[in-house]
Amino acid sequence: MTLNVLDFADADGETRRAVVARRLRELAPDVVALQEVPTDRPDEIVSELLGAGYAVVAHPTDSPDGVGALLASRWPLAPLHTEDLRLTDRSGDLPWSFAVFARVDAPAPLGPVLVVHPKPAWTYRLEHEREIAAVRTSELADGLTAEQGIEHVVVLGDFDAAPDHASMRFWTGRQSLGGTSTCYTDAWEACRPAEPGHTFTRQNPLVRAGTMPHGPDRRIDYVLVRCGSHGPSLQVASCALVLDQPVDGVQASDHYGVLADLSVPDRPSGSWAPDW
């Protein structure tokens, strides 16, 4: 699961914080990426929002007000690498623009998964920086899986780019960038190809009241699964928007969350069905 919770310093944050904690505990995701959360006490924040029993790794820096990003897992979590995604002079305005790479040791039959939580540049004008970050993050993921002997890669977070932007077209195998290419399955598209799935939309009252009220409705939060030669290594069983509806009249965030259920397929990609 991924969710940008909206800085709790804004928009009646303490009330929203209680709603976020209530819904996250109800959803009980196994692995969750959170953005715009306090990171000074990551274990305490995760315990407050998700409950006990989660391991956590934070992005290495945060904003002056203490806001950044966290990756949490109820399964063993081992940080492997962090990469600074402030890759040009224009992209330095978000101090926690990093990618965190962690090994999650899920139970059988899933086994180890490389989970990547990137936060690229966020403003409308910085798609070039998001393109560079996408290529760099993908290359590092490939290197770490080879080094660790891991088959499955899941990349999730707030990408601040819609599906038709070049950085997301790169992630989903629709175009090359920087002389290279990759391919990840977009969990939402795999399950709901006919639905827009906007995660940042003017239908949300916090978007209309916030600092970005005039842009188009966009889907900018993703769960992605790496493909091999014949398709994704994990099957997307379901994908849904979460925290998209008010709870007791309170909207949790200006972003809607994305929750995907991933499983090991009965028959791996690249193999024929037994009867053929």
Side-chain angles (χ1 to χ4, degrees):
M1 176 182 166
T2 182
L3 174 67
N4 183 319
V5 306
L6 178 61
D7 186 351
F8 291 134
D10 297 326
D12 194 15
E14 288 309 306
T15 302
R16 292 191 300 101
R17 189 170 183 152
V19 168
V20 170
R22 172 179 162 186
R23 287 294 290 129
L24 286 178
R25 287 167 179 253
E26 291 170 351
L27 293 166
D30 295 312
V31 178
V32 57
L34 299 174
Q35 305 89 43
E36 290 198 42
V37 286
T39 56
D40 55 337
R41 296 169 288 106
D43 292 309
E44 293 181 30
I45 295 299
V46 166
S47 180
E48 173 199 338
L49 297 179
L50 290 160
Y54 282 85
V56 58
V57 57
H59 278 45
T61 62
D62 53 26
S63 298
D65 58 358
V67 168
L70 300 171
L71 178 66
S73 170
R74 65 170 69 255
W75 300 319
L77 177 69
L80 299 177
H81 181 71
T82 59
E83 185 73 8
D84 194 337
L85 298 183
R86 298 168 295 178
L87 299 172
T88 76
D89 292 340
R90 299 198 308 167
S91 57
D93 67 332
L94 185 66
W96 45 284
S97 182
F98 279 78
V100 166
F101 301 77
R103 176 183 175 126
V104 171
D105 286 314
L110 185 55
V113 180
L114 179 67
V115 178
V116 186
H117 182 196
K119 185 65 197 85
W122 68 276
T123 69
Y124 277 103
R125 294 166 58 88
L126 296 186
E127 180 60 15
H128 172 66
E129 283 71 13
R130 287 186 287 271
E131 293 174 17
I132 299 171
V135 172
R136 182 64 178 148
T137 303
S138 168
E139 290 177 339
L140 286 167
D142 288 345
L144 286 168
T145 52
E147 176 187 298
Q148 294 280 317
I150 297 175
E151 178 183 4
H152 308 301
V153 183
V154 176
V155 183
L156 72 172
D158 171 9
F159 289 68
D160 271 305
D164 61 346
H165 287 188
S167 59
M168 296 313 304
R169 289 175 57 81
F170 170 80
W171 276 115
T172 54
R174 289 175 168 89
Q175 76 170 72
S176 61
L177 287 174
T180 189
S181 60
T182 191
C183 186
Y184 282 69
T185 289
D186 174 351
W188 180 267
E189 186 179 63
C191 292
R192 302 170 179 266
E195 300 177 36
H198 295 143
T199 59
F200 194 85
T201 166
R202 288 165 293 181
Q203 295 181 25
N204 185 329
L206 291 179
V207 172
R208 296 196 303 270
T211 62
M212 304 175 73
H214 305 305
D217 295 346
R218 299 182 292 160
R219 182 161 69 88
I220 58 177
D221 303 85
Y222 299 86
V223 177
L224 307 174
V225 180
R226 190 177 67 165
C227 296
S229 298
H230 295 86
S233 66
L234 296 173
Q235 180 178 355
V236 185
S238 65
C239 188
L241 297 180
V242 292
L243 288 93
D244 54 325
Q245 300 299 318
V247 176
D248 297 330
V250 178
Q251 189 72 46
S253 173
D254 57 350
H255 287 242
Y256 301 151
V258 180
L259 179 68
D261 183 15
L262 309 178
S263 61
V264 177
D266 294 335
R267 183 169 58 85
S269 299
S271 65
W272 281 89
D275 295 337
W276 291 87

